[in-house]
Amino acid sequence: MAELKVNTKKFKLNNGVEIPAVGLGTWRSEPEDAYKATKLALENDYHHIDTASAYGNEEGVGKAISESKVPRENIFVTTKLWNTDHNKVEEALDESLKKLKLDYVDLYLIHWPVNTDSEDIKDPSQYEDYIETWKSLQKIYKEGKKVKAIGVSNFTIKKLDKLLNAEGVDVVPVINQIEAHPLLTQPELVKYLTSKDIYITAYSPLGSNDSPLFKNETVLEIAKKNKVEPAQVLISWAVQRNSIVIPKSVHEERIKSNIETFTLSDEDFKALNEINEKDGPKRTNDPGFNNYDD
Ligand SMILES: NC(=O)c1ccc[n+]([C@@H]2O[C@H](COP(=O)([O-])OP(=O)(O)OC[C@H]3O[C@@H](n4cnc5c(N)ncnc54)[C@H](OP(=O)(O)O)[C@@H]3O)[C@@H](O)[C@H]2O)c1
């Protein structure tokens, strides 16, 4: 039987800020559920919560943080700028901070490389105006008050390259938050990000709702062999791969077990790495408005 332990690992980001490897995801958690889940998480050794203005639950998350006995400086809070707010970054951040009842967030991300007034996008490439958005984040970061670190989400190699080479861009994102699990390992993107000292936060690490990973033979066999939950296999794999990982749950038992990880044997780690080629790649989250090709 594998030895499960509460995961206390932290990664040091390229600006020196430390981030706990395992955090709580909150997408599709209603505000009251997000409140309860965040509260349970903070009572059960989590020090990292991931939310976004688009999730509509920052108030619930903030309430749990404000009531928690865990000191603010020991909680890593991520929130994200929504697509329709690219032209008013500071206003959107202030609104998030107000809802979260916080003076600062630890990490502020551009949620998607999509800058638009409308959710109805026909040609995503017309809305990829994110350089100016990044410069607004950069300015707020350099002022040193409202954010400890800034990053991006759902960026491809080409988009990051364009961003890093743009005039006036001199802060490298600390993180690219992307969908990552054994059915979507994205080896080229991972290699690129590693070369730029940009960490990955693996979102939908369990394969999101109705996950094909919970039916995947390799995952189930490894879980059975090690006498652990399939989710624990996936979360342990993500950390062992040097990524930050943010499984979402609103259930107490799952919240508790998702932060307990173990070290996969070389053989099991390799088998999980190979699922992508055998059964994938499979993206579980495609909102339809993003351009993953460029
Ligand atoms: N940046 C982005 O664009 C982006 C996109 C997607 C997600 N995210 C972030 O990443 C987080 C995680 O991704 P996700 O919410 O898509 O999916 P996920 O964490 O991969 O999976 C969540 C699903 O798995 C279930 N689950 C949780 N723990 C489980 C366990 N131990 N055993 C069995 N089922 C379990 C959850 O149900 P219950 O809640 O009912 O337990 C839920 O249905 C999000 O919540 C969000 O914070 C970011």
Side-chain angles (χ1 to χ4, degrees), residues 72-75 77 93 97 100-107 145-148:
R72 168 67 187 99
E73 63 272 22
N74 294 344
I75 309 174
V77 184
L93 173 61
L97 289 173
L100 286 162
K101 292 183 259 310
L102 298 176
D103 301 331
Y104 68 91
V105 284
D106 297 272
L107 178 61
K145 288 198 179 124
K146 296 179 184 173
V147 297
K148 299 276 182 209

Side-chain angles (χ1 to χ4, degrees), residues 24-29 50-51 55 80 109 111-112 153-154 177-178 202-210 214 229 231-232 246-251 254-255 257-258 284-285:
L24 176 77
T26 64
W27 181 36
R28 291 187 285 218
S29 301
D50 183 87
T51 182
Y55 301 167
K80 313 184 191 89
L109 301 178
H111 204 148
W112 294 89
S153 179
N154 299 299
Q177 186 176 124
I178 55 170
Y203 79 59
S204 305
L206 310 178
S208 213
N209 288 356
D210 301 320
F214 289 134
E229 292 296 321
Q232 291 172 319
I246 45 171
K248 170 262 177 187
S249 181
V250 293
H251 292 102
R254 290 175 175 179
I255 290 171
S257 68
N258 286 350
T284 63
N285 273 313

